[in-house]
Amino acid sequence: MLIREATAADWPAIWPFFRTIVAAGETFTFPLDLDVEQGRGWWLLDAPNRTVVAVDEATGAVLGSAKMNRNHQGNGSHIASASYMVDPAHSGRGVGRALAEYTLDWARESGYRAMQFNAVVATNERAVRLYRSLGFDVIGTLPEGFRHPELGYVGLHIMHRAL
């Protein structure tokens, strides 16, 4: 697997799984009805922020994507954040872990002191388990902060890791 900078030419490969994941309403706080152009604006970030894709080196297929950015402005601008999406057709192959490790390295190399995830859905057990394995802690949970389409109101974790 190769992780590289995403380009506008990658969006047609990202959009199908982005749309599926967002419309399912189970893991992201994005509006459920984003169209292709709105989705592009939410995901493909301008510098100094970054968006990357994980691609299969043999086929060139996009397996997943991550966006990484400053979490806060001003005197809080030393904290990074990131978001990840893995094409469900490629889940269970280590794509999410590789993307998360990549973003941690990026944040460290960019001089950030910590990474914080503002909205990890508590019922997204795979993500919570992955982030914990990478050294993140749940530093707070917003009770009923997320309206899951099947489970109703569930917690929304804030997760943090010093770099």
Side-chain angles (χ1 to χ4, degrees):
M1 168 183 352
L2 168 73
I3 297 177
R4 63 165 173 77
E5 196 79 25
T7 69
D10 292 312
W11 184 245
I14 298 168
W15 170 246
F17 65 85
F18 176 97
R19 177 185 55 210
T20 298
I21 291 166
V22 170
E26 296 176 349
T27 55
F28 280 85
T29 59
F30 295 176
L32 303 181
D33 59 351
L34 291 175
D35 66 31
V36 66
E37 290 307 315
Q38 291 169 320
R40 180 193 326 254
W42 280 68
W43 198 255
L44 295 182
L45 303 180
D46 294 326
N49 303 311
R50 294 186 61 206
T51 303
V52 296
V53 288
V55 297
D56 182 305
E57 290 186 89
T59 66
V62 174
L63 308 172
S65 183
K67 66 175 188 161
M68 55 208 96
N69 51 274
R70 175 178 301 149
N71 195 25
H72 304 287
Q73 302 298 316
N75 288 345
S77 64
H78 56 283
I79 308 298
S81 192
S83 297
Y84 314 96
M85 286 196 189
V86 176
D87 184 337
H90 301 289
S91 68
R93 296 178 47 189
V95 177
R97 176 173 295 280
L99 287 167
E101 289 172 347
Y102 183 95
T103 62
L104 285 166
D105 289 342
W106 166 83
R108 198 175 296 108
E109 292 166 6
S110 298
Y112 290 98
R113 295 180 49 91
M115 186 171 279
Q116 175 183 321
F117 301 143
N118 301 321
V120 180
V121 179
T123 56
N124 188 353
E125 294 173 0
R126 288 180 74 180
V128 173
R129 189 170 46 251
L130 171 62
Y131 303 152
R132 284 185 185 276
S133 77
L134 293 170
F136 285 84
D137 292 313
V138 174
I139 59 170
T141 302
L142 177 62
E144 298 188 351
F146 187 83
R147 190 179 66 234
H148 192 283
E150 294 177 16
L151 304 174
Y153 291 98
V154 299
L156 201 55
H157 292 323
I158 300 168
M159 299 188 77
H160 172 271
R161 181 205 150 141
L163 298 174

